[in-house]
Amino acid sequence: MAEEFYTSMGMKPVPPEFWRGSMLVRPPQRSVQCTASAWDFCNRIDYRIKQCTEVTMQDLISTHHEMAHIQYYLQYADQPHLFRDGANPAFHEAVANAASLSVYNLPHLQRVGLYQNKSHDPYEVTMNFLMSMALEKVAYLPFAFMVDQWRWSVFEDGVENMNTRWWQMKLRYQGVTPPIPRTEADFDPGSKYHVISDQEYIKYFLATILEFQIFEQLCVVSGHLGHLHECDVYRSRDAGRLLSEIMQAGSSKPTSEVIRSMTRGRTNRISPEALVKYFRPLELWLRVQNRDEALIGWNSNQIDVALFAPRKSAGNCGRPPLLFVVFGLCLWLIQ
């Protein structure tokens, strides 16, 4: 299904070697690391996915995501080896997620026969869907922003109190405190795979913003006229041509040039406008739901901070609404 999603847009089928070399299910008699990933062996023939796939909605999405990486490899295969990568470190994830946004939505699931329940109130279904997506995409942004903020603080200030700094940042950006007291004998950042495997993480923050910008442009060229969250680019040859154009350049062009071409000259910068547009119906609904709330966001007190901070630094700490934290971070980083 994932391959047919891309070929329906006029993009390239995977070579036969992909099906022979990929690990698509968990091997029965050996232990494997199952984190889904896509691989380019750089010989223009051998591309593989490593994934312990199960028949679930989440794996349907992750399979389309990983196949988008394979499609990226196929599209820039004719570039010199130095340019076989995304336009910047965020582009690979952004393009893969942009394609996946089309797979998430109900119009696409109806077209492929995976959603047929039409008895529920459409408005309620829409709000539930957007809330689910916001919990996955919007609420993720503060975390994606803080991981490398913490990493850079270690490089700059050393390892002293680095676990405390982790929880200080989680409180500041996410409003999260640990469930039990933590000390410097703990290393909670190590629970994140990308920290212990030394992979930069700020690219995921930028990719989450960029994916909506790419998705919006795919929807524009496909002729979609409704809400952005209802767009499905499946079978759109125009969307396929634009996506191929983005991918084929690899890293041979500056990011600004790729974005300018993608937006047909409208801008050359990464912008959160499409993300805000995607979630606008949910934002309006939340404003109504929250208008009588005394506090939107979070406060902390001495007991909260004492779970992780040295006693001398414990104190009261108020935080602004999460909505403004998230989009403020977007705008500040882009500027």
Side-chain angles (χ1 to χ4, degrees):
M1 286 182 68
E3 183 190 36
E4 196 270 335
F5 176 84
Y6 296 104
T7 57
S8 79
M9 299 163 66
M11 303 180 79
K12 296 182 178 182
V14 296
E17 288 78 8
F18 170 84
W19 302 107
R20 290 199 292 267
S22 293
M23 186 190 85
L24 302 179
V25 295
R26 184 187 296 273
Q29 295 180 334
R30 60 188 175 96
S31 177
V32 295
Q33 209 284 344
C34 276
T35 302
S37 56
W39 298 79
D40 179 3
F41 285 82
C42 300
N43 60 5
R44 298 188 177 92
I45 296 174
D46 197 351
Y47 308 92
R48 306 183 196 182
I49 282 176
K50 173 185 70 69
Q51 181 175 325
C52 300
T53 320
E54 297 178 356
V55 183
T56 65
M57 181 64 186
Q58 188 55 51
D59 275 6
L60 177 70
I61 302 300
S62 64
T63 300
H64 282 76
H65 176 99
E66 298 304 332
M67 285 294 279
H69 287 304
I70 298 295
Q71 188 64 224
Y72 214 151
Y73 300 149
L74 290 168
Q75 293 289 340
Y76 62 51
D78 292 332
Q79 291 283 354
H81 188 274
L82 187 63
F83 295 142
R84 292 185 209 169
D85 205 346
N88 67 26
F91 252 85
H92 245 289
E93 287 299 310
V95 167
N97 284 339
S100 298
L101 283 176
S102 186
V103 183
Y104 269 107
N105 65 41
L106 296 185
H108 178 75
L109 295 178
Q110 289 171 341
R111 291 176 75 178
V112 297
L114 292 178
Y115 181 81
Q116 300 175 357
N117 191 342
K118 300 181 180 179
S119 62
H120 296 297
D121 175 49
Y123 182 76
E124 182 178 345
V125 170
T126 296
M127 290 304 108
N128 284 338
F129 167 72
L130 285 176
M131 178 64 81
S132 176
M133 290 296 291
L135 290 171
E136 180 171 340
K137 301 292 184 178
V138 180
Y140 169 73
L141 284 169
F143 174 76
F145 181 77
M146 63 145 283
V147 172
D148 273 357
Q149 295 291 322
W150 172 84
R151 193 201 312 259
W152 299 334
S153 79
V154 174
F155 293 154
E156 184 173 0
D157 302 324
V159 299
E160 185 179 3
N161 294 326
M162 65 178 178
N163 205 59
T164 296
R165 292 204 299 273
W166 174 260
W167 285 107
Q168 286 173 338
M169 290 183 179
K170 287 188 75 67
L171 175 58
R172 179 182 179 188
Y173 294 116
Q174 295 183 269
V176 173
T177 57
I180 59 175
R182 313 304 289 161
T183 70
E184 290 306 308
D186 304 304
F187 183 56
D188 295 313
S191 64
K192 181 60 183 171
Y193 172 81
H194 297 74
V195 171
I196 59 174
S197 62
D198 193 29
Q199 297 183 34
E200 62 180 355
Y201 209 75
I202 198 66
K203 67 181 180 182
Y204 294 101
F205 174 78
L206 284 173
T208 304
I209 299 169
L210 185 57
E211 70 177 86
F212 288 91
Q213 190 174 9
I214 295 172
F215 182 60
E216 181 183 37
Q217 296 307 312
L218 296 178
C219 294
V220 168
V221 299
S222 71
H224 178 74
L225 299 176
H227 292 295
L228 186 56
H229 68 270
E230 296 174 338
C231 170
D232 179 18
V233 298
Y234 179 53
R235 297 178 180 169
S236 170
R237 294 301 177 109
D238 291 328
R241 277 191 288 272
L242 178 58
L243 194 55
S244 297
E245 179 184 314
I246 295 170
M247 292 176 166
Q248 286 168 3
S251 59
S252 66
K253 297 179 180 178
T255 300
S256 58
E257 188 175 330
V258 175
I259 295 176
R260 184 183 296 279
S261 174
M262 175 184 79
T263 61
R264 299 303 187 257
R266 181 170 174 264
T267 183
N268 65 350
R269 304 179 70 184
I270 298 175
S271 169
E273 290 179 9
L275 185 151
V276 175
K277 180 179 179 181
Y278 185 96
F279 290 106
R280 181 72 71 193
L282 177 65
E283 181 191 353
L284 297 175
W285 182 83
L286 285 171
R287 287 187 183 278
V288 174
Q289 304 304 311
N290 292 333
R291 62 188 172 190
D292 298 325
E293 294 293 328
L295 174 69
I296 301 174
W298 57 89
N299 280 331
S300 65
N301 54 38
Q302 284 188 336
I303 297 175
D304 291 329
V305 178
L307 287 169
F308 60 86
R311 186 175 299 275
K312 64 182 180 180
S313 66
N316 292 325
C317 183
R319 292 295 159 212
L322 178 60
L323 178 67
F324 298 112
V325 172
V326 171
F327 293 116
L329 286 174
C330 294
L331 294 170
W332 172 81
L333 189 61
I334 292 165
Q335 291 170 355

